[in-house]
Structures are given as C-alpha cells and as structure tokens.
C-alpha cells in the first residue's frame, strides 16, 4: 500500500499547564505522527499518551524521552517537529514494520477488536511560555490485504538504581 501524509484536526487545550488533546480520525492505518511545536522544548512536554478505545497503548514520560528514543533508533534530534512512531522504526523489511501499525480499518476477522477511537494526549509543563502545537501530520496507508491485530505498546518500567545507562 502506498503511504500518504494527511493533516490531522487541530489540537484542543494547548496551553501552559494544560493537557493538549488530538482526536485522530479512524478508517486508515497509522504509521507515524509528525507533531510540530514552537515556544516550548521537548523537555517541557511532561507526558505523551496514545489512547485507543479509551485505553493507553503508548506512554512516554516526556517529550525529551521520546526524542532520545528516536535518536537511539537513528533519527536526528527533534528540531521543531517531534516524531511519534506507531510502527517499529528501522526493521529490515517493509512488511515487518507494517505488522505493528495502528490499524483503524474494519477488521477482517471477527475475533479482532476494531479501534473506534484514537487520541493523543500531551501534558504541557506550566513553565512553558505561550506553547504552540502546529497542525500534526499523519503518515497513513489504506487497508492491507492481510490485516493483523498486533499493536506496538510502550510502557514505563523502573530499574534498579544500581544499574545505569539507557535501556530499550
């Protein structure tokens, strides 16, 4: 399937000390979301959550954490645009990375759960002065021949303080 880039609806509730919300339309498959920002840094984004059908499937404890994960995966540091990957970035085959996209199309299999709502929430730090989130753009594709029920989940886990370094 060819990839297309579509503008998303406007963010709701963008402001210092507030929760910005993006309600994403359903019906296509989501590969990644490009979030333009200004008058704030990724470190001033306290938490990012991807919520499907009312349940969090991805959670990042800050925009700087998401940016460091993107850099670990081989992307350049965020400079005005934060990339939120829904598929596994950098897998060897396109078919392999497409196994983990967020599929909001109608499922082929009666045992699959259809994603009917998809929301991005970002908590903006109260120290940010006049934060702005531009129009997000989603990289999407149409229904695949073999749709699948796999979802990439991102969760936060603590580690023993005796261990140090970055963990994937």
């Amino acid at each position: 399937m060819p990839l297309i880039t579509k503008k998303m609806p406007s963010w709701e509730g963008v402001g210092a000390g507030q929760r910005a919300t993006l309600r994403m339309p359903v019906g296509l498959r989501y590969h990644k979301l490009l979030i333009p920002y200004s008058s704030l840094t990724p470190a001033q984004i306290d938490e990012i959550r991807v919520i499907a059908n009312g349940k969090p499937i991805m959670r990042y404890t800050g925009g700087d954490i998401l940016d460091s994960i993107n850099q670990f995966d081989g992307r350049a540091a965020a400079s005005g645009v934060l990339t939120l990957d829904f598929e596994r970035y950098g897998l060897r085959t396109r078919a392999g990375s497409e196994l983990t996209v967020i599929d909001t199309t109608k499922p082929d299999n009666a045992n699959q759960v259809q994603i009917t709502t998809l929301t991005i929430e970002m908590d903006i730090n109260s120290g940010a002065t006049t934060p702005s989130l531009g129009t997000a753009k989603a990289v999407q594709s149409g229904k695949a021949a073999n749709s699948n029920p796999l979802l990439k989940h991102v969760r936060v886990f603590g580690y023993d303080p005796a261990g140090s370094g970055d963990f994937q």
Side-chain angles (χ1 to χ4, degrees), residues 40-64:
L40 78 154
T41 64
Q44 291 175 319
I45 299 171
D46 290 335
E47 189 170 345
I48 301 170
R49 289 173 299 284
V50 178
I51 301 170
N53 291 348
K55 296 179 183 174
I57 58 171
M58 295 181 185
R59 181 174 167 249
Y60 299 93
T61 55
D64 54 340

Side-chain angles (χ1 to χ4, degrees), residues 42-114:
Q44 291 175 319
I45 299 171
D46 290 335
E47 189 170 345
I48 301 170
R49 289 173 299 284
V50 178
I51 301 170
N53 291 348
K55 296 179 183 174
I57 58 171
M58 295 181 185
R59 181 174 167 249
Y60 299 93
T61 55
D64 54 340
I65 300 297
L66 176 58
D67 188 34
S68 67
I69 290 170
N70 286 340
Q71 290 177 50
F72 180 83
D73 287 342
R75 293 187 188 275
S79 178
V81 177
L82 198 57
T83 302
L84 180 57
D85 274 312
F86 300 123
E87 66 182 5
R88 288 281 309 270
Y89 179 74
L91 290 181
R92 291 180 186 231
T93 65
R94 182 82 210 141
S97 65
E98 284 197 8
L99 283 175
T100 58
V101 300
I102 295 180
D103 190 352
T104 64
T105 63
K106 187 170 173 61
D108 296 330
N109 186 337
N111 295 327
Q112 287 180 260
V113 175
Q114 182 175 2

